[in-house]
Amino acid sequence: MYTDVHCHLLPEVDDGAKSWAESEECLRIAQAERVSRLAVTPHVWPDRYPNRPDDLREVFRDFQRRAAPLGLECHLGCEAYFHLDLPEWYQAGRLLAMGEAGRYLLVELPLTLCPPGLLQTFYALRLAGAEPVLAHPERYPYVSRDPRRLEDLGSSGVPFQVTTHSLMGLFGGAVQRAAFALMERGWVRLLASDAHSSRGRVPMFRAAVRVVAARYGKEAARRLCVENPRRLLEGAPLLPVECLRPGRRRA
């Protein structure tokens, strides 16, 4: 039912699953959470996780084989760490966009400060043929303190992806409030688990979907967890998501 477009379940390639046994346990958890499609997005981070596309494709083939008995449809992408050369890296084939259409590229920002050149680099990515998706903005401290830091990026139409664990308060109250603030500004198009393990940061979905449905309605939950993730993997335009609480207007 749900589609998870951000998770780290390929074993031994980054800080995600540590073994095939853990990877397979995560797949079973995802299935129990009613996830029917997922995109594994290993980090591509210079000097830390210098994963090469061909190496990731080789591991992914084994991953697909192990996921098949569970009936899970799997796709390969990556989570690219932000740097000014991302457009050149994309054009050189050093980054993996998500899904067969290969249109959307998941991008992670530095944790400690909002990088200079962000808007210009995302614009250059678009010119290079990639549609950047901003990973878990609510978890950057400079955003959780002030969601308006991303006003220019959000207003430019870059889709934001919020983490299901954030909505449950598992990263703290400030991150949870930032997630809701970004959603209520209309900048968030997708929810994803960003799962890393079978203990702790698991492929959580159902509880977060209930939170969204109760707070913003079932249509918002459907677009965030079913419709837009499907469109992302197909390379189609993402739909806007209205996350307005009853009696409130967008800030």
Side-chain angles (χ1 to χ4, degrees), residues 177-248:
R177 289 189 293 273
F180 290 138
L182 295 170
M183 294 170 73
E184 289 167 14
R185 283 169 167 79
W187 299 339
V188 178
R189 298 284 197 274
L190 306 147
L191 295 187
S193 73
D194 193 11
H196 277 62
S197 68
S198 58
R199 300 288 185 273
R201 291 174 64 180
V202 301
M204 173 192 293
F205 252 88
R206 289 188 298 170
V209 172
R210 288 194 293 268
V211 167
V212 173
R215 190 177 178 101
Y216 303 120
K218 292 182 179 179
E219 178 59 18
R222 188 186 70 81
R223 287 199 175 188
L224 289 165
C225 300
V226 179
E227 182 68 13
N228 276 343
R230 177 185 64 79
R231 285 172 167 265
L232 181 146
L233 292 177
E234 294 172 354
L238 304 186
L239 300 174
V241 183
E242 290 285 341
C243 292
L244 300 179
R245 301 182 69 182
R248 295 190 179 187

